[in-house]
Amino acid sequence: MKAEAAIDLEKTTSLEERYQLATYKKMPIVAERGEGVWIYASNGDRYLDLYGGHAVAGTGHCHPHVVKAIREQTEKLLFYSNLVYSEARARAAQKLVSIAPSSLTKAFFCNSGTEANENAMRMARMATGRENIISFSGGFHGRTADAISATFLGKYREIGKPNVPGHLRAEFADIESVRAVADDSVAAVMLEPIQSMAGVRMAEPSFYRQVRELCDERGIVLIYDEVQTGVGRTGEWFFAGSEASDGIGPDIITLAKALGSGVPVGACLVTEKIAAHINENDLGTTFGGGMVAMAAVTATLEAIENDGLLENVRGVESYLRERLSEVEQVVNVRGRGFLLGLEFADKAKPVHEALLERRIITGTSSDAKVLRLLPPLCLKREEIDLFVEALTQTLRRE
Ligand SMILES: Cc1ncc(COP(=O)(O)O)c(C=O)c1O
């Protein structure tokens, strides 16, 4: 490492540590530039990014089509609120609805995943006149008051105390536990279809169908939190409607993360039936539907389409699974597409750290034995080879 670069690293880290609340354990990287699946640090090191900045970099870092669209929009109009019409917003809403399951016909734009979930729960309460929300052990829905109260994972509800009333817990993948609490006080069942933070947990397709049937039977709104699984991550636009979901979909999908390729944006996609209950001033947020975010959404969806990224995810996932079958310490590969959990017989954290030394960024989860991969959707086979080679060497060294 060059002397000058080392000083830069030290200065940046010490300034951040001094002036920013220490809410995240950071990796020793000063990220300066990104391109596709690569992050370049200020000292010149290059990292293979298999984490995508918390699953945000779906189109890869700085996809030229997305960057161009954002740049062009910033030169025209940075922002105006929903009090005016905007071509950027009209195009984004149309494009998003065009790729959504056909029953979801309207979009509401906000700024993050937690906000999308708050609004989804509110819409379900408005549509049903009921208060309670059922969510699942192991699900993560965000950190604002209502969303954290719906998060039955680890210490989150504890952090969010006092919790918002109106939340009921069911056990993931256990339909009887849902049935037991789904009475006529329940407005919605909110489901993270692949529980990422919990260690990439999925249910059998029949579970999603049974939840759908139960909701229909008892007049309950079904919400899929697709903040992580949406926008192509599973190799399909959404988990909703996929084979893994037994072809069924919810009444509301919530999105964020990869939707704007890094520009903060969240969304709810809803049915006509839900939309009919929402009136002027019922929902709102100043920045939701802002032009720069909207330009990013349209360009993100176009880039995924133009580059064939859904097909890429499916092909490369198969290749990765094949290559990982050679690695005996990986006892199971959970998940779908590029939301994968590599399960080890032992703790995953040392593997994460050893890979980082080899300049590969991965993620851990609340399951100590699971290493999470959430790479950009443009990841290729040759990068899988680099990863599997580094993983094999790392495990040999231990
Ligand atoms: C499934 C899921 N829902 C909601 C959220 C909250 O999103 P945000 O951090 O944008 O508020 C996250 C974030 O990790 C998530 O993974």
Side-chain angles (χ1 to χ4, degrees), residues 112-114 117 140-142 192 225 227-228 257:
S112 65
T114 198
N117 287 334
F140 181 83
H141 299 292
E192 185 191 358
D225 173 346
V227 167
Q228 283 212 25
K257 298 240 186 236

Side-chain angles (χ1 to χ4, degrees), residues 52-68:
H54 279 116
V56 168
T59 54
H61 296 287
C62 297
H63 191 290
H65 182 64
V66 180
V67 170
K68 180 169 177 280

Side-chain angles (χ1 to χ4, degrees), residues 24 54 111-117 139-144 147 192-194 196-197 225-229 254 256-257 265 372:
Y24 281 89
H54 279 116
N111 310 287
S112 65
T114 198
E115 203 188 339
N117 287 334
F140 181 83
H141 299 292
R143 292 168 184 266
T144 48
E192 185 191 358
I194 302 180
S196 179
M197 292 254 279
D225 173 346
E226 295 225 38
V227 167
Q228 283 212 25
T229 54
T254 62
K257 298 240 186 236
V265 57
R372 264 189 313 161

Side-chain angles (χ1 to χ4, degrees), residues 49-193:
D49 183 9
L50 302 184
Y51 195 58
H54 279 116
V56 168
T59 54
H61 296 287
C62 297
H63 191 290
H65 182 64
V66 180
V67 170
K68 180 169 177 280
I70 295 169
R71 187 185 296 125
E72 284 174 4
Q73 183 58 50
T74 61
E75 285 165 4
K76 285 197 281 192
L77 182 61
L78 284 180
F79 182 76
Y80 208 93
S81 64
N82 285 288
L83 289 182
V84 299
Y85 291 92
S86 139
E87 186 187 333
R89 193 183 304 123
R91 276 164 40 82
Q94 184 187 34
K95 185 77 195 161
L96 189 54
V97 168
S98 79
I99 58 155
S102 59
S103 56
L104 304 180
T105 54
K106 288 214 157 48
F108 170 77
F109 290 110
C110 53
N111 310 287
S112 65
T114 198
E115 203 188 339
N117 287 334
E118 297 265 332
N119 282 288
M121 288 187 276
R122 189 166 301 166
M123 284 193 261
R125 289 180 174 127
M126 285 174 164
T128 58
R130 305 172 180 176
E131 280 190 4
N132 286 329
I133 308 289
I134 298 175
S135 53
F136 292 88
S137 54
F140 181 83
H141 299 292
R143 292 168 184 266
T144 48
D146 216 3
I148 208 167
S149 301
T151 294
F152 293 99
L153 172 71
K155 63 180 184 180
Y156 289 103
R157 265 174 68 91
E158 193 58 36
I159 297 169
K161 283 211 159 140
N163 295 137
V164 173
H167 288 278
L168 304 172
R169 171 186 169 140
E171 301 310 309
F172 188 59
D174 173 1
I175 191 64
E176 288 313 320
S177 73
V178 193
R179 225 183 280 282
V181 285
D183 60 21
D184 61 10
S185 71
V186 174
V189 169
M190 185 159 72
L191 182 60
E192 185 191 358

